[in-house]
Amino acid sequence: MTRLISISSLTSDAACFEQIRSLRWPDKVTCPHCGSPETIRRGKDGTQPERRRYQCKRCDKRFDDLTGTVFEGHHQPLKVWVLCLYLMSLNLSNQQIARELGLNKDDTQAMTEQLRRGVEKKNASNPVGEC
């Protein structure tokens, strides 16, 4: 079942991280490496205080809110990525998205390609008709 998200709830990085956490882990944080729900919080990211860090009790690996997601490892703030995804859903061109977000057209092209690959990967792992 698709859950609608209000654009007004995505206007800050803090709100975006809360939304990512609630969608990714609706019940409990689980390790993206081994799938264990036995995790502990390990503070926050030094450059993005809204981004939480965790450690798995089973495999002992550390991870954060974005580990293993399409948003991992990029310099743009999370809210820019989420807003880009939202604008893509409105079928805006890359040029329009770049203008709306105040980005370079090449950066926007790279972001939209990355987001499309992420959506395709998610759709391939959850075909229509499966819950």
Side-chain angles (χ1 to χ4, degrees), residues 109-121:
Q109 177 70 35
M111 289 173 70
T112 57
E113 286 175 3
Q114 176 104 16
L115 290 167
R116 282 188 188 94
R117 281 192 302 270
V119 168
E120 289 168 1
K121 183 178 176 182

Side-chain angles (χ1 to χ4, degrees), residues 2-3 5-7 10 16 19-20 23 66 69-71 76-94 96-98 100-101 103 107-123:
T2 303
R3 199 170 113 197
I5 299 170
S6 166
I7 190 66
L10 304 175
C16 288
Q19 196 65 245
I20 293 291
L23 291 170
L66 303 181
T69 71
V70 70
F71 305 115
Q76 294 291 349
L78 180 60
K79 71 178 179 181
V80 172
W81 282 91
V82 173
L83 289 170
C84 181
L85 187 59
Y86 175 78
L87 294 172
M88 287 171 63
S89 75
L90 298 177
N91 207 26
L92 296 182
S93 71
N94 286 350
Q96 290 171 306
I97 293 171
E100 287 295 321
L101 298 178
L103 299 173
D107 287 344
T108 303
Q109 177 70 35
M111 289 173 70
T112 57
E113 286 175 3
Q114 176 104 16
L115 290 167
R116 282 188 188 94
R117 281 192 302 270
V119 168
E120 289 168 1
K121 183 178 176 182
K122 177 145 178 60
N123 287 342

Side-chain angles (χ1 to χ4, degrees), residues 2-57:
T2 303
R3 199 170 113 197
L4 294 178
I5 299 170
S6 166
I7 190 66
S8 63
S9 71
L10 304 175
T11 56
S12 73
D13 277 329
C16 288
F17 275 102
E18 282 298 322
Q19 196 65 245
I20 293 291
R21 282 190 289 271
S22 72
L23 291 170
R24 186 172 192 193
W25 300 305
D27 300 316
K28 186 171 180 163
V29 174
T30 56
C31 176
H33 305 289
C34 73
S36 173
E38 298 175 37
T39 62
I40 52 176
R41 285 200 39 198
R42 286 287 185 206
K44 299 176 181 182
D45 185 85
T47 58
Q48 295 177 304
E50 303 87 2
R51 188 176 187 167
R52 295 180 186 165
R53 293 181 175 170
Y54 310 90
Q55 184 171 355
C56 180
K57 290 182 180 180

